[in-house]
Amino acid sequence: MPSDALGSSFRDPSGFLFTRDGTLYRQVNPVYREHYDRLMASGLYAELTGAGLLVAHREVDQPPAGETPAYRILEPERIPFIAYPYEWCFSQLKDAALTTLRIQQRALGRGMSLKDASAYNIQFQRGRPLLIDTLSFETLREGEPWVAYRQFCTHFLAPLALMARRDVRLGSLLRVHIDGVPLDLASELLPWRTRLDFGLALHIHAHAATQRKYADKPIKPPRGRFSARALQGLIESLEATVRRLRWRPGGTEWAEYYRQTNYSDAAIRHKEELVARFVEDAQPQLVWDLGANTGRFGRLAADRGILTVASDIDPAAVEIAYLEARKRKDAWLLPLLSDLTNPSPAQGWAHDERMSWLARGPADMVLALALVHHLAISNNVPLERLADFFAAAGRTLVVEFVPKSDSQVQRLLATREDVFPDYRREAFEAAFARRFAIEAAERVRESERTLYRMRRL
Amino acid sequence: MRVTGWAFGSRVRAACLLLGGLALLFPPRAAAYLDPGSGSFILQILAAALLGAGVAIRMQWRKIKRWFRPSAKGENEPPADA
């Protein structure tokens, strides 16, 4: 494998991704020739790209990467921000699962099948789930079971069932288990009554039991035993099982946040005006709204056609943001789950398969609204370190300082000793001036809060 | 046949012996890069009849509905996203 191949692209011998002069290419290896030709000639590629289900590409005249021979070199449409399944809310994972099954249905209709069903192969592009791996298809092996069934269950069905039927926070198991949640673990953690749901009984509990029983036994089922109708039934059963899984936000910490806030209407409107003006002044192409809650302020950038990643620690807030974005067919807001006190690390093989959150930046602009007091007081992060982090995250920063006298900060201090003598506006400005040029500072009307626009030094 | 999560061990064993025996008669299939998992393959084979029957029942049901409501449209289209 050549050295410029992407760290996440090594498992499938069909081909790999590599970069050259800043452009991303996909090499199709000679071994995949038959399947690639079929994908293109059968009309499946045109059908899927036309429906917005598969990433579009063009064949380019580029030499292969390294010494390896290539059948084709493709230049796929670029995905501006890569997100991972452990950063998705419940409905994002569910929509990604249903998209994978819909693609499989269409592939079966044209004599092909998905040979993998990795959640990492799905990205949200223009607000909708998109399969980004062109080499995921193979000519249908008639009479054989679905080779990607296990992967679909571990990457999609098991985490969805755990989130819906046990606790939504169990989605984070995907971060620990890079090839999906083991089915024996899911089976053990799910409530007993999930055995009464036919789909979960079959695809999780019975599946885990057969895996346990036949682990490492080299059993090759004979051809012709699994009819086309059975395969169709399997996909329909998985789809029905996924559709039945539902989760409604409520009861998690900040889902009701905007109703509890201490802002007046005038203050909120003024803050929105200031954010919109700062965004227009900076003309960013990629915005990270950190601690975005349900994405109210990030939407000001997204509404201007700017890709805005709106991240929050609260699964309910991210769920609400996503459902709202989906309803509005918002192409530019990407809500994601992220705990800023412990952001996604670089992980997988050699720490190189999945990028850390910061490695996917820097953003052109970072929004840090009503955030600093949470990090500085609830998580004890010194102001200098906050400035260092934001300087690594983005080139321009829109940051709000909320003083101790504000009732929201008082709430954070209510249950603990005030060990933050430096948490003052002057100290905040001094700490951030080490890293940023402060270009604007505006007091939010009818509040004690100040909104800054800063440029990284 | 009803396959449930807790009471089909002996059926699995019998089917497995049968399939394992039959497998010897066939050449190994072309390699897939993903390990499909023996248990995952066996489960699909065991549930095949049931899954196929589900499709047949749904097709019949649609026919019956069409017979009663011949003007109904969109019966064969996949449902939209949840």
Side-chain angles (χ1 to χ4, degrees), chain B residues 53-74:
Chain B
V55 175
I57 291 166
R58 277 190 290 275
M59 281 167 67
Q60 289 303 319
W61 181 241
R62 273 186 218 127
K63 270 188 198 161
I64 293 167
K65 279 206 290 192
R66 263 203 301 275
W67 191 75
F68 280 107
R69 288 187 298 147
S71 60
K73 284 181 182 167

Side-chain angles (χ1 to χ4, degrees), chain B:
Chain B
M1 183 175 93
R2 181 171 166 78
V3 178
T4 55
W6 56 89
F8 71 119
S10 59
R11 195 177 303 158
V12 168
R13 199 173 300 125
C16 175
L17 284 171
L18 175 72
L19 297 178
L22 282 172
L24 298 173
L25 302 173
F26 294 86
R29 55 196 200 86
Y33 89 96
L34 206 64
D35 180 2
S38 298
S40 304
F41 252 49
I42 292 285
L43 181 72
Q44 291 181 75
I45 300 270
L46 288 174
L50 205 63
L51 295 166
V55 175
I57 291 166
R58 277 190 290 275
M59 281 167 67
Q60 289 303 319
W61 181 241
R62 273 186 218 127
K63 270 188 198 161
I64 293 167
K65 279 206 290 192
R66 263 203 301 275
W67 191 75
F68 280 107
R69 288 187 298 147
S71 60
K73 284 181 182 167
E75 299 276 63
N76 292 319
E77 288 169 13
D81 260 342

Side-chain angles (χ1 to χ4, degrees), chain A residues 252-408:
Chain A
T252 52
E253 56 184 316
W254 289 353
E256 302 284 307
Y257 188 70
Y258 282 117
R259 262 164 270 173
Q260 289 174 12
T261 179
N262 58 356
Y263 286 77
S264 67
D265 286 349
I268 282 253
R269 272 200 305 278
H270 188 220
K271 188 165 152 180
E272 283 179 336
E273 276 170 36
L274 289 172
V275 172
R277 182 172 13 117
F278 288 164
V279 166
E280 279 173 4
D281 287 349
Q283 295 286 317
Q285 291 191 325
L286 173 65
V287 171
W288 287 358
D289 184 3
L290 304 177
N293 198 266
T294 57
R296 177 175 190 149
F297 294 100
R299 206 160 263 131
L300 296 169
D303 285 348
R304 288 165 171 77
I306 300 161
L307 177 62
T308 304
V309 179
S311 64
D312 201 90
I313 189 175
D314 179 7
V318 180
E319 178 78 11
I320 292 166
Y322 175 68
L323 294 178
E324 174 74 12
R326 194 177 70 179
K327 196 168 85 185
R328 291 164 41 134
K329 298 194 189 320
D330 194 334
W332 301 108
L333 192 81
L334 176 60
L336 290 176
L337 202 56
S338 171
D339 176 359
L340 275 180
T341 67
N342 183 23
S344 301
Q347 58 174 1
W349 176 248
H351 301 288
D352 202 22
E353 267 190 271
R354 311 292 166 221
M355 290 178 279
S356 76
W357 186 280
L358 276 185
R360 287 171 266 169
D364 298 317
M365 175 178 269
V366 167
L367 302 182
L369 306 171
L371 177 65
V372 164
H373 56 294
H374 288 286
L375 297 172
I377 292 176
S378 302
N379 200 46
N380 293 41
V381 183
L383 293 169
E384 289 76 13
R385 289 200 186 205
L386 276 177
D388 293 346
F389 174 79
F390 289 130
R395 300 183 182 92
T396 308
L397 173 67
V398 174
V399 60
E400 182 177 23
F401 183 77
V402 184
K404 265 187 196 167
S405 50
D406 188 283
S407 63
Q408 294 287 2

Side-chain angles (χ1 to χ4, degrees), chain A residues 88-94 160 163-164 245-247 319:
Chain A
W88 293 341
C89 66
F90 175 80
S91 288
Q92 283 170 313
L93 186 59
K94 182 171 171 175
L160 282 170
M163 290 164 92
L245 293 170
R246 293 201 170 88
W247 178 72
E319 178 78 11

